[in-house]
Structures are given as C-alpha cells and as structure tokens.
C-alpha cells in the first residue's frame, strides 16, 4: 500500500511528520492509533506496558494532512 506524509500535533508524537498508509481508494483514515513502548531507566528494570495514543484527522487542513492528539486509546 502507498503512504502519505502527515503531521502529528500534540501528545507523544507532537510536531512529527510521519507516513500514514492510505486505503485502496487512496483515502486517509480518520483515526490513527500509535503504540508507545520502551524501556524507562529507574526503579524498574523491565519495560512498561505499551500505551496506545489516538490521533484524529483534522479535515480543516488543505495541504499536508494533520492528525491531532485525542488522548490515550480506550480499551
């Protein structure tokens, strides 16, 4: 599948330009879930649980697509 570069504003991916896959019809998804994982150095020596963050497409933008942070994804 092909991808389009989009801006992510707010949340852990704030200010990043990243590729977003388009559907078969060439349309971008309305919602993108980004998974945040990693090791944090400190009291625990094991990885923390992954957290999904939800970004919603801002349709008001004309040029480069923009996704705005909408908080942690709900289970």
């Amino acid at each position: 599948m092909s991808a389009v570069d989009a801006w992510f504003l707010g949340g852990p991916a704030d200010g990043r330009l990243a590729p977003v896959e388009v559907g078969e019809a060439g349309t971008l998804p309305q919602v993108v879930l980004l998974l945040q994982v990693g090791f944090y150095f400190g009291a625990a020596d094991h990885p923390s649980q992954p957290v999904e963050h939800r970004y919603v497409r801002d349709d008001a933008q004309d040029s480069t697509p923009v996704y705005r942070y909408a908080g942690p994804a709900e289970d």
Side-chain angles (χ1 to χ4, degrees):
M1 291 196 141
S2 57
V4 172
D5 284 335
W7 285 109
F8 287 85
L9 300 178
D14 186 37
R16 294 189 187 185
L17 187 64
V20 175
E21 287 186 2
V22 296
E24 291 180 14
T27 58
L28 286 165
Q30 276 303 116
V31 175
V32 174
L33 297 177
L34 298 179
L35 188 64
Q36 180 183 15
V37 296
F39 281 91
Y40 298 94
F41 297 104
D45 58 355
H46 54 80
S48 62
Q49 293 295 320
V51 176
E52 275 190 320
H53 296 278
R54 191 166 77 108
Y55 285 82
V56 177
R57 185 162 177 220
D58 184 348
D59 291 327
Q61 301 297 322
D62 294 340
S63 57
T64 303
V66 172
Y67 285 87
R68 296 192 184 276
Y69 186 60
E74 298 176 11
D75 293 329

